[in-house]
Amino acid sequence: MKLYKIKLIFTISILALCSIGCTNLDEESFGSLSPDTYYNTEEEALSSVVGVYQALSSVSSIDRPWRLQEYGTDEFVIPGRASGGWFDQDVIDIVTHTTTPVNADVNRAWYSLFQEIGIANAVLESLQASPNSENLKSLIAETRALRAYGYFFAMDLWGNIPLVTVARIDPNNLPATRPRAEVFEFIESEMLAAIQDLPSITEVDKASYYPRFTKEAIQAAMATMYLNAEVYTGTPRWSDAVSMCNEVINTNAYDLEADVVDNFKSTNEENSIELLSSFSIDPTKNAGNNQFILYTNHSPDKVKYNLPFTPANGFSTFPEALNRYEDQDNRKLLIEYGPQYYLDGVTPLTYPDGTQLDIIPVQDLVSAADNEGYKVLKYTPVGASFAGYNADNDLVLMRYSDILLTKAEALFRDSNTTPSVSLGLVNRVRERSNATPLNSLTIQDIEDERAREFLWEGHRRRDMIRFGTYFTGTWSFKTTTTEAFRGVYPIPEIQRSANPNLDQNLGYDN
């Protein structure tokens, strides 16, 4: 059963099931619905688990957890406009690598992720306490994986974080921050345990099971975690990353779509051969929304794409992102830049005064003109359905191309392997988009290919930190090197005020 079909049930059940969640850590979070009278069927239980998916979707939507994965990189910016719109000093600070513990966007991301963890804790406790728990093993595993995924993103963004695994928090014994390596071990153990009871993609009816987690979805998540293990723990885990990639590859259940944009269309649902994990969206049923088009596109795009709203012209990208692509690379078509035309490619797209829209790079981070800032149309409005300003394109979490490029990088970094296998995997991804095959491979080639393939998919900050370019690189509005401590965000001061047991990350405590 598709998740969007039961999201309305979740609205009722989760309100009864738990309170605000483990967000402000001095507040209690608890389950109040008796498991003795609920979860008699899998559908009843799933109606609560779906709420955890909905909470986790913030890592792929326009919400702050996704933004914090993109802010401060060379591919994402929200400039203030000369009209007065969009200016936010908190955003500017993150973009320029000068953020502080009082940054409101950082706090919103913290709140969102720990809310997801709190909901997962409450749902998990009720599932485990149900008299029917023996028949709910796969849903218990699913919820453990969802909670672990939330912890993965929190660990990635903040490093040392609290670990909370209960729905009720003792206000007299608030959780303290735990070392990043310890959090890594917890996530690893939870995901490995979940994999044991999750079904494989080869064992389910893909159309009806979509988009719930399978073994392969969590193996893909672990591949990402192992790829970054040296950053998180100080110890590389290249061979483990390869092993997890091979688990996915060896199912023969996945492949690359013919065109990368097929993954982001309104029809990118259960028929996709590339999506490993995603979040189902149907705004007409109050089941989530996709607002990338609203937040990104220019106002004249309303008529170009026959949209039922005027786009807000916020999210933008830099020339550095555009210039990575060869002209014939089909992925370059996902970026709007230069003089704009209607879909016929001939008729100029104009403002009401008749002036053609000509998109130029951001010149002023604080007071940009309306036409400054290249646009990324990864979630294409072509063919999408809308409820107000909400599109129905499903949100992507991980794709098979990530498995191929993760394996390529892990093999390349492993001194016991030859580069030829990695080269073949990278070229397989490049050839799909009509990019010229590479004759040889460097570590820079791998970083650049990931940047091309996963533009605005929430990978870039993590990748840049792993490759070191987050610190040593310079690009638009970042003209100096970055201190190493900025590889994690500061623990929000408002959270530390609520919970004195949270230690501030080094470098932010001055």
Side-chain angles (χ1 to χ4, degrees):
M1 178 180 293
K2 287 185 186 179
L3 290 184
Y4 73 75
K5 293 182 179 178
I6 54 177
K7 281 186 177 178
L8 291 177
I9 302 174
F10 164 73
T11 303
I12 299 171
S13 65
I14 201 65
L15 289 176
L17 184 64
C18 67
S19 63
I20 191 170
C22 176
T23 353
N24 291 325
L25 292 176
D26 62 333
E27 298 179 356
E28 291 183 307
S29 172
F30 53 90
S32 58
L33 184 63
S34 171
D36 294 333
T37 59
Y38 202 57
Y39 300 156
N40 294 312
T41 67
E42 183 179 1
E43 185 174 18
E44 286 180 345
L46 185 57
S47 69
S48 289
V49 176
V50 69
V52 194
Y53 278 101
Q54 195 168 25
L56 185 63
S57 68
S58 65
V59 302
S60 295
S61 71
I62 55 92
D63 291 336
R64 264 60 180 193
W66 176 84
R67 295 191 203 183
L68 256 63
Q69 298 170 76
E70 291 287 347
Y71 283 148
T73 73
D74 58 1
E75 70 176 25
F76 183 70
V77 64
I78 306 177
R81 295 293 173 185
S83 62
W86 284 110
F87 174 77
D88 186 336
Q89 187 61 51
D90 288 331
V91 173
I92 304 302
D93 289 345
I94 303 175
V95 168
T96 56
H97 292 199
T98 57
T99 191
T100 68
V102 297
N103 190 288
D105 271 26
V106 174
N107 183 58
R108 291 187 188 105
W110 177 284
Y111 183 96
S112 181
L113 284 172
F114 279 95
Q115 184 178 54
E116 187 269 348
I117 291 166
I119 293 172
N121 281 335
V123 173
L124 189 56
E125 282 195 8
S126 290
L127 289 171
Q128 292 170 330
S130 171
N132 195 32
S133 60
E134 277 299 308
N135 298 319
L136 301 174
K137 284 186 176 181
S138 63
L139 279 169
I140 290 172
E142 209 168 337
T143 309
R144 289 180 75 176
L146 283 159
R147 181 179 65 183
Y149 231 136
Y151 269 119
F152 166 73
F153 283 103
M155 174 193 68
D156 181 71
L157 293 172
W158 290 284
N160 305 328
I161 56 172
L163 278 177
V164 180
T165 58
V166 295
R168 182 187 291 273
I169 298 174
D170 181 356
N172 297 314
N173 186 26
L174 298 176
T177 44
R178 308 282 274 275
R180 197 182 210 181
E182 183 180 332
V183 179
F184 179 97
E185 290 177 1
F186 169 78
I187 299 168
E188 180 184 28
S189 64
E190 287 291 289
M191 287 189 172
L192 287 172
I195 286 170
Q196 299 306 309
D197 289 325
L198 285 171
S200 168
I201 190 65
T202 61
E203 299 169 345
V204 298
D205 178 78
K206 192 174 181 181
S208 61
Y209 192 81
Y210 173 89
R212 296 167 60 187
F213 284 163
T214 60
K215 290 182 187 294
E216 292 75 26
I218 304 308
Q219 287 162 343
M222 294 194 72
T224 296
M225 203 165 73
Y226 288 140
L227 188 66
N228 293 276
E230 188 170 19
V231 173
Y232 299 146
T233 71
T235 302
R237 301 281 294 272
W238 311 126
S239 62
D240 289 325
V242 172
S243 294
M244 285 298 169
C245 290
N246 285 339
E247 291 286 345
V248 177
I249 293 169
N250 291 341
T251 64
N252 295 313
Y254 299 98
D255 205 346
L256 299 179
E257 293 283 357
D259 192 327
V260 69
V261 75
D262 291 343
N263 293 288
F264 303 92
K265 290 180 177 178
S266 175
T267 54
N268 66 340
E269 297 183 349
E270 67 272 12
N271 295 321
S272 173
I273 59 174
E274 187 168 347
L275 295 185
L276 280 146
S277 47
S278 57
F279 301 100
S280 59
I281 297 298
D282 190 343
T284 66
K285 295 181 173 65
N286 291 326
N289 58 69
N290 186 322
Q291 296 182 349
F292 275 94
I293 298 163
L294 166 68
Y295 274 66
T296 300
N297 289 47
H298 277 282
S299 57
D301 282 334
K302 177 178 182 178
V303 292
K304 178 177 180 177
Y305 297 107
N306 192 29
L307 302 174
F309 57 87
T310 301
N313 186 23
F315 295 176
S316 304
T317 195
F318 294 122
E320 286 84 353
L322 175 72
N323 294 337
R324 289 193 185 95
Y325 299 97
E326 298 173 289
D327 286 342
Q328 80 278 9
D329 192 324
N330 292 332
R331 294 170 297 191
K332 193 173 186 178
L333 299 174
L334 300 177
I335 303 179
E336 286 189 343
Y337 62 97
Q340 295 299 293
Y341 300 87
Y342 279 81
L343 292 176
D344 63 11
V346 176
T347 307
L349 182 66
T350 63
Y351 289 104
D353 65 1
T355 304
Q356 184 177 12
L357 172 60
D358 184 7
I359 305 177
I360 64 174
V362 176
Q363 307 294 310
D364 191 326
L365 196 57
V366 174
S367 185
D370 183 77
N371 67 325
E372 292 180 23
Y374 297 157
K375 301 300 183 182
V376 177
L377 271 65
K378 204 133 202 184
Y379 292 99
T380 175
V382 177
S385 296
F386 294 87
Y389 44 71
N390 300 312
D392 66 343
N393 311 59
D394 283 2
L395 296 166
V396 172
L397 181 56
M398 187 166 288
R399 300 189 280 121
Y400 187 63
S401 60
D402 198 359
I403 291 296
L404 299 180
L405 292 182
T406 294
K407 181 177 178 179
E409 181 182 341
L411 285 173
F412 189 88
R413 290 182 183 273
D414 188 339
S415 59
N416 295 321
T417 59
T418 59
S420 59
V421 177
S422 297
L423 178 62
L425 291 166
V426 171
N427 277 336
R428 185 175 170 190
V429 174
R430 288 178 60 79
E431 289 166 0
R432 187 257 296 269
S433 294
N434 199 38
T436 304
L438 300 175
N439 295 319
S440 60
L441 196 63
T442 67
I443 197 67
Q444 186 64 56
D445 291 329
I446 294 174
E447 181 185 2
D448 289 343
E449 198 57 38
R450 288 190 63 85
R452 296 183 193 101
E453 181 68 13
F454 304 120
L455 180 65
W456 281 23
E457 292 184 50
H459 296 309
R460 186 59 178 153
R461 174 187 166 275
R462 188 185 314 126
D463 286 349
M464 293 188 79
I465 289 172
R466 186 175 69 255
F467 285 97
T469 50
Y470 188 82
F471 309 103
T472 61
T474 57
W475 53 88
S476 302
F477 307 106
K478 181 184 178 293
T479 58
T480 62
T481 58
T482 294
E483 305 98 319
F485 74 83
R486 294 191 182 276
V488 292
Y489 285 108
I491 306 296
E493 193 58 36
I494 191 171
Q495 301 297 333
R496 296 187 66 229
S497 295
N499 178 6
N501 292 335
L502 298 179
D503 293 328
Q504 185 55 270
N505 286 326
L506 294 177
Y508 294 107
D509 50 2
N510 296 327

